[in-house]
């Protein structure tokens, strides 16, 4: 079904735009996102993956494969640690699918699942960097200075982008049903 739908174009383009915007927004607004001692990490790729899961309908986008691919690109381009995002993005897709089984597809439940995804993503990212010795910040500082601002930024993204992304998916799926 996926290869016959308009989502075969919409999803990868949206994923690329989200990846590009994550880096671009962090660069353009670096003084806002990374103002000592606070750090806000833009997670538009994660937002796109989570909302795509909820809006795909019966198309069933191969989210895990795309999550691995964007993880490879993110590792090469951003992280410098081979394998961190390759594991984290598919893990967040799995977590989203797991949590979605227990909740209805309402706005508040979707934002809750996205909140959990971002929190787990950032906690695992922090833990990985802590274990290999890249970061030396204690856990309390991480929670206050990085996780809280990151959650605030990404929840604002969710609220601002939910309806435009839903509209894109609705139009793409409606055009498929008309044909």
């Amino acid at each position: 079904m996926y290869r016959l739908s308009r989502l075969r174009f919409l999803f990868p383009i949206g994923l690329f735009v989200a990846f590009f915007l994550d880096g671009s927004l962090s660069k353009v607004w670096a003084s806002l996102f990374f103002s000592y001692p606070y750090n806000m990490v833009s997670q538009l790729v994660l937002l796109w993956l989570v909302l795509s899961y909820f809006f795909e309908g019966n198309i069933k986008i191969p989210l895990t494969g795309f999550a691995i691919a964007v993880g490879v690109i993110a590792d090469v381009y951003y992280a410098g640690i081979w394998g961190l995002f390759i594991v984290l993005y598919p893990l967040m897709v799995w977590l989203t699918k797991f949590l979605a089984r227990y909740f209805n597809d309402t706005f508040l439940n979707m934002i809750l699942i996205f909140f959990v995804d971002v929190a787990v993503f950032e906690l695992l990212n922090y833990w990985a960097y802590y274990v290999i010795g890249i970061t030396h910040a204690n856990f309390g500082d991480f929670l206050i200075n990085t996780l809280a601002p990151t959650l605030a930024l990404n929840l604002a993204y969710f609220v601002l982008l939910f309806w435009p992304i839903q509209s894109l998916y609705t139009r793409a799926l409606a055009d498929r049903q008309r044909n």
Side-chain angles (χ1 to χ4, degrees), residues 45-46 49 62-72 75 83-98 117 121 124:
V45 169
L46 192 55
L49 289 170
L63 291 172
T64 304
F66 280 110
I68 291 169
V70 78
V72 167
D75 279 340
L84 185 60
F85 291 125
I86 292 171
V87 172
L88 289 180
Y89 282 132
L91 184 63
M92 294 305 102
V93 168
W94 175 83
L95 182 61
T96 299
K97 290 178 180 181
F98 177 77
D117 285 342
F121 186 90
L124 291 174

Side-chain angles (χ1 to χ4, degrees), residues 41-103:
V41 182
S42 178
Q43 292 295 347
L44 289 170
V45 169
L46 192 55
L47 175 67
W48 185 258
L49 289 170
V50 169
L51 289 180
S52 294
Y53 171 75
F54 286 111
F55 298 148
E56 70 184 353
N58 62 356
I59 300 298
K60 303 301 175 211
I61 299 168
L63 291 172
T64 304
F66 280 110
I68 291 169
V70 78
V72 167
I73 295 167
D75 279 340
V76 169
Y77 193 73
Y78 293 127
I81 298 175
W82 187 253
L84 185 60
F85 291 125
I86 292 171
V87 172
L88 289 180
Y89 282 132
L91 184 63
M92 294 305 102
V93 168
W94 175 83
L95 182 61
T96 299
K97 290 178 180 181
F98 177 77
L99 292 173
R101 285 191 276 165
Y102 299 103
F103 295 96

Side-chain angles (χ1 to χ4, degrees), residues 123-139:
L123 285 167
L124 291 174
N125 199 14
Y126 164 78
W127 178 77
Y129 281 121
Y130 188 79
V131 165
I132 61 174
I134 291 179
T135 188
H136 300 289
N138 68 39
F139 188 66

